Amino acid sequence: MDIVTKKQLNILIQLAEADKHFAKIERELIFKIARERKFPEEEVLELIRNPEPIDSLGALSLDQKFEYLMSSIELVYIDQNVFESEIIFTKNIAIKLGFKKGVIDFIIENYGKKSREEFKDIAIHEFI
Protein backbone atom coordinates (compact mmCIF):
# COMPACT_ATOMS: atom_id res chain seq x y z
CA MET A 1 0.00 0.00 0.00
CA ASP A 2 1.17 3.52 -0.83
CA ILE A 3 1.31 5.16 2.60
CA VAL A 4 2.30 8.57 1.19
CA THR A 5 -0.82 8.71 -1.00
CA LYS A 6 -2.98 7.37 1.82
CA LYS A 7 -1.79 10.13 4.17
CA GLN A 8 -2.40 12.78 1.51
CA LEU A 9 -5.91 11.53 0.74
CA ASN A 10 -6.69 11.32 4.45
CA ILE A 11 -5.69 14.98 4.87
CA LEU A 12 -7.74 16.04 1.85
CA ILE A 13 -10.80 14.16 3.12
CA GLN A 14 -10.58 15.89 6.50
CA LEU A 15 -10.05 19.24 4.80
CA ALA A 16 -13.10 18.66 2.60
CA GLU A 17 -15.13 18.09 5.75
CA ALA A 18 -13.68 21.11 7.61
CA ASP A 19 -16.51 23.36 6.39
CA LYS A 20 -19.11 20.68 7.30
CA HIS A 21 -19.95 20.28 3.59
CA PHE A 22 -18.11 17.61 1.60
CA ALA A 23 -18.85 19.00 -1.87
CA LYS A 24 -19.19 16.65 -4.84
CA ILE A 25 -16.39 18.44 -6.69
CA GLU A 26 -14.07 18.01 -3.67
CA ARG A 27 -14.89 14.32 -3.63
CA GLU A 28 -14.16 14.10 -7.37
CA LEU A 29 -10.72 15.72 -6.89
CA ILE A 30 -9.87 13.24 -4.13
CA PHE A 31 -10.86 10.27 -6.31
CA LYS A 32 -8.97 11.75 -9.28
CA ILE A 33 -5.75 11.92 -7.22
CA ALA A 34 -6.35 8.35 -6.03
CA ARG A 35 -6.83 7.12 -9.62
CA GLU A 36 -3.69 8.93 -10.84
CA ARG A 37 -1.71 7.19 -8.13
CA LYS A 38 -3.42 3.80 -8.65
CA PHE A 39 -4.76 3.93 -5.09
CA PRO A 40 -7.75 1.60 -4.56
CA GLU A 41 -11.16 3.28 -4.58
CA GLU A 42 -12.34 1.04 -1.74
CA GLU A 43 -9.48 2.36 0.45
CA VAL A 44 -10.60 5.94 -0.31
CA LEU A 45 -14.18 5.10 0.65
CA GLU A 46 -12.91 3.56 3.90
CA LEU A 47 -10.93 6.75 4.66
CA ILE A 48 -14.04 8.83 4.00
CA ARG A 49 -16.02 6.65 6.42
CA ASN A 50 -13.20 6.49 9.00
CA PRO A 51 -10.58 9.23 8.64
CA GLU A 52 -7.31 8.46 10.41
CA PRO A 53 -5.48 10.77 12.81
CA ILE A 54 -2.97 12.99 11.03
CA ASP A 55 0.43 11.89 12.29
CA SER A 56 3.78 13.47 11.81
CA LEU A 57 4.53 14.45 8.24
CA GLY A 58 8.20 15.26 8.75
CA ALA A 59 9.55 12.18 6.95
CA LEU A 60 8.25 13.31 3.56
CA SER A 61 10.59 14.68 0.90
CA LEU A 62 10.39 18.40 0.05
CA ASP A 63 8.60 17.51 -3.19
CA GLN A 64 6.04 15.43 -1.30
CA LYS A 65 5.52 18.19 1.29
CA PHE A 66 4.92 20.73 -1.44
CA GLU A 67 2.53 18.35 -3.23
CA TYR A 68 0.52 17.88 -0.01
CA LEU A 69 0.45 21.66 0.47
CA MET A 70 -0.69 22.49 -3.07
CA SER A 71 -3.28 19.73 -3.26
CA SER A 72 -4.75 21.13 -0.03
CA ILE A 73 -4.93 24.64 -1.50
CA GLU A 74 -6.49 23.30 -4.72
CA LEU A 75 -9.15 21.50 -2.68
CA VAL A 76 -9.93 24.72 -0.76
CA TYR A 77 -10.52 26.56 -4.04
CA ILE A 78 -12.19 23.84 -6.11
CA ASP A 79 -15.75 24.52 -4.93
CA GLN A 80 -15.22 28.31 -5.09
CA ASN A 81 -16.27 28.63 -1.46
CA VAL A 82 -13.30 29.42 0.76
CA PHE A 83 -14.16 28.99 4.42
CA GLU A 84 -12.12 30.17 7.39
CA SER A 85 -12.26 26.62 8.80
CA GLU A 86 -10.52 25.36 5.63
CA ILE A 87 -7.82 28.04 5.87
CA ILE A 88 -7.15 27.23 9.53
CA PHE A 89 -6.97 23.50 8.75
CA THR A 90 -4.61 24.13 5.83
CA LYS A 91 -2.34 26.33 7.98
CA ASN A 92 -2.14 23.54 10.55
CA ILE A 93 -1.20 21.06 7.82
CA ALA A 94 1.45 23.49 6.51
CA ILE A 95 2.99 23.63 9.99
CA LYS A 96 2.95 19.82 10.29
CA LEU A 97 4.71 19.69 6.91
CA GLY A 98 7.45 21.97 8.26
CA PHE A 99 6.36 25.18 6.51
CA LYS A 100 5.83 28.50 8.25
CA LYS A 101 2.08 29.15 8.45
CA GLY A 102 2.57 32.35 6.42
CA VAL A 103 3.02 30.16 3.34
CA ILE A 104 -0.76 29.68 3.18
CA ASP A 105 -1.45 33.43 3.27
CA PHE A 106 1.17 33.94 0.55
CA ILE A 107 -0.30 31.26 -1.71
CA ILE A 108 -3.87 32.51 -1.17
CA GLU A 109 -2.85 36.11 -1.96
CA ASN A 110 -1.12 34.96 -5.16
CA TYR A 111 -3.36 32.06 -6.20
CA GLY A 112 -3.91 32.20 -9.94
CA LYS A 113 -1.09 34.72 -10.37
CA LYS A 114 1.90 32.39 -10.10
CA SER A 115 2.73 29.00 -11.57
CA ARG A 116 3.01 25.87 -9.47
CA GLU A 117 6.78 25.93 -10.03
CA GLU A 118 7.01 29.54 -8.81
CA PHE A 119 5.03 28.63 -5.70
CA LYS A 120 7.29 25.63 -5.11
CA ASP A 121 10.46 27.70 -5.40
CA ILE A 122 9.17 30.41 -3.05
CA ALA A 123 7.64 27.96 -0.54
CA ILE A 124 10.84 25.93 -0.24
CA HIS A 125 13.22 28.90 -0.12
CA GLU A 126 11.22 31.35 2.01
CA PHE A 127 8.79 29.35 4.12
CA ILE A 128 10.74 26.32 5.40
Side-chain angles (χ1 to χ4, degrees):
M1 178 191 322
D2 178 1
I3 193 71
V4 172
T5 298
K6 184 176 184 179
K7 280 185 172 196
Q8 182 180 13
L9 295 173
N10 182 56
I11 288 168
L12 294 176
I13 288 164
Q14 291 184 48
L15 172 58
E17 294 175 343
D19 62 0
K20 306 294 185 227
H21 177 69
F22 196 155
K24 182 177 184 226
I25 196 161
E26 292 171 329
R27 187 181 187 96
E28 288 168 359
L29 177 63
I30 290 166
F31 277 99
K32 177 180 175 266
I33 291 169
R35 278 190 306 277
E36 287 171 356
R37 307 244 178 94
K38 312 248 185 294
F39 193 83
E41 186 173 310
E42 187 52 47
E43 290 276 335
V44 178
L45 292 169
E46 181 57 30
L47 281 173
I48 290 171
R49 286 189 294 270
N50 299 302
E52 297 179 353
I54 300 170
D55 322 327
S56 166
L57 302 169
L60 299 169
S61 71
L62 279 178
D63 285 344
Q64 289 168 327
K65 289 178 181 187
F66 180 74
E67 181 58 36
Y68 275 40
L69 187 71
M70 284 309 291
S71 64
S72 296
I73 294 290
E74 288 166 4
L75 190 80
V76 166
Y77 276 98
I78 199 161
D79 65 357
Q80 285 151 33
N81 291 313
V82 178
F83 292 92
E84 188 65 25
S85 57
E86 294 173 322
I87 301 300
I88 291 167
F89 185 94
T90 306
K91 284 181 179 179
N92 288 332
I93 293 303
I95 291 166
K96 284 187 178 215
L97 290 166
F99 291 97
K100 297 173 186 163
K101 69 179 177 183
V103 72
I104 299 302
D105 293 328
F106 175 79
I107 292 173
I108 288 171
E109 287 168 20
N110 293 284
Y111 195 78
K113 300 176 194 167
K114 295 193 179 303
S115 71
R116 195 175 183 93
E117 280 306 309
E118 288 173 308
F119 278 131
K120 183 177 183 179
D121 188 53
I122 293 167
I124 289 172
H125 291 98
E126 295 183 27
F127 290 99
I128 289 234

